[in-house]
Amino acid sequence: MFTLPNGMRCVHRRPGRQGAQVAHLALTIGAGTRDEAATQHGVAHLVEHLLFKGTERRSAYRVNSLLENAGGELNAFTTKEETVVHATLLRSEFRKGVDLLSDMVFRSRFDAREIDKEREVVIDEINSYKDSPAELIFDDFEELLFAGSPLGRNILGTPRNLKRATQQQLKAYVAGHYRPDRIVFSASVEMPHSRFREICERYLAPFEAADGEGLTAERRVPERQPLFDVVRHKSTYQTHCLLGGYGYDLHDEQRLRLAFLINLLGGPASVSRLNMLLREKHALTYNVEAGYVPYSDSGIYTIYLGCERDKVEQSIELVRAELRRLRETKLTTVQLARAKRQFLGQWILSSENTENLMLGVAKSVLIYNGFEQAGEVEAKIGAITAEELLETANDIFNENNFYSLIYR
C-alpha cells in the first residue's frame, strides 16, 4: 500500500498464481447516502448512475463499451457510507481500466439530458422495490430505527427529490465528496509492483481536490429510538417480519463477537440455530436469516423471516426464546469449537473470491488505513471465548434492544 501526493491510497494485491490473466480493480469513495443533505436525498445514487453517461473524453457508449468489448465487466454500487466503481477485465487491459475508472470518477460531464433520462430510470427502480416486500422491509426498518438521521434514509432516494435534483446539485455533491484523500484504489493484478505504481501515478495522481472542497456535513451519531412494534398492512400473501436492534459500530472491538453470534444464529449455513428451529423443527417458514451491518458510528442487527399469517406470533416467540438461550446459556467447549470452525471456514471461502476480497481490503483501508492479514483474522476468531459471547449476547440481544416491523 502507498499514498499518492494527492492523498489517494493505493493497494496492490498479486494473485497467488503466476500468469493469472484476470484483474480486478476498484475506486472506493468514502461518501454515501448518509452524506447527503436532506434536500439531496437520492443524489449520491443518481451520481453513481451518471458516472456511466459520458465524460469529458468519452461518450456514454464509449464508457460502457471500452472494457466490455474486450470481455470485461464494469459496474458500480452505492451504500450508505461508500460509493464504489469497479471492473473485472483481462490483465492486458489493466492500464485501460485504470484510465477509464479515473475518467468516470473525476471527469464525468453530468449532461442535463442524461440527468433527465436517468432520474426516470431510478424512479422506476424505486417503484420496483414496492413489489419486493422482502427487500423493502429492510429499508423501512432502518428508517424507523435511525429516525431523524441520514442513516435512516433509503439509498435510492424519493421521486420528489430526484425530480428536483439539478445539474448544479450533482456537481456540488461530487466536488464536496469525491476527494482523492477520501478514495482508495485497490487492484488484484499479476504485475510487478513498480509497474502498478507507475500506472497509478500516471492516471490517478494528477487529480487534486478542487477549491472549496471538504466543506461537507459532519456525520453525527444517530439518536437511539424508543422501542417499537410496528405493523403495516400490505397486499401480500405471506407475512414478512423484521426483528432486530442496534449493533456495534466499525470501531468497536466487540463487532467480531457479534458477527460470530449472528452467523451462529441465522447465518447462511442450513445448520444455523434459527433455521433448524423454525424451518426444520417446526416447519414455520421457508426462509429465516440474520444479519449485522456495522456503520462508522452505529450498527444494526436484523432477523428476517416470512411465514403464513397465523404463524407469526409463534415464530416471533421462538426467535425471542433463542435469543434468551444465547443470553443465558454458555456455549460448551464442543459447541464453541464447531462454531469457530464453521465461521472461519466461511470467511476463508469468501476470501477466495478475489473481487470481494479486494473490495473488502479497500473498505478496511478507507476506515482503518490498513487491513488485517488472514492469520490475524484467524487468531482473533480463535481467541473468542464462551464468556465473551455470553457478555455480547446480553449486551445486544436483550429485550430493551428488540424492535419489530411486520408486513401483514
Side-chain angles (χ1 to χ4, degrees), residues 127-139:
N127 290 332
S128 73
Y129 272 83
K130 297 176 183 178
D131 294 325
S132 304
E135 297 181 29
L136 182 65
I137 196 169
F138 283 87
D139 284 341

Side-chain angles (χ1 to χ4, degrees), residues 110-128:
F110 300 106
D111 180 79
R113 290 171 299 179
E114 294 294 345
I115 294 172
D116 289 339
K117 288 192 296 184
E118 206 59 28
R119 80 169 94 235
E120 294 303 319
V121 171
V122 176
I123 289 172
D124 188 60
E125 185 180 358
I126 292 170
N127 290 332
S128 73

Side-chain angles (χ1 to χ4, degrees), residues 254-280:
Q254 295 191 76
R255 67 187 184 281
L256 183 62
R257 299 182 210 167
L258 179 54
F260 186 97
L261 285 172
I262 288 293
N263 186 69
L264 177 67
L265 186 66
S270 62
V271 292
S272 69
R273 288 190 172 192
L274 289 178
N275 190 70
M276 294 298 293
L277 182 64
L278 273 70
R279 176 173 172 165
E280 300 301 327

Side-chain angles (χ1 to χ4, degrees), residues 3 25 73 94 125-126 140 177 181 221 309 316 332 360 367:
T3 303
L25 61 155
E73 298 176 356
F94 181 74
E125 185 180 358
I126 292 170
D140 286 350
H177 295 89
D181 60 357
V221 180
R309 297 185 183 187
I316 293 176
T332 67
I367 296 164

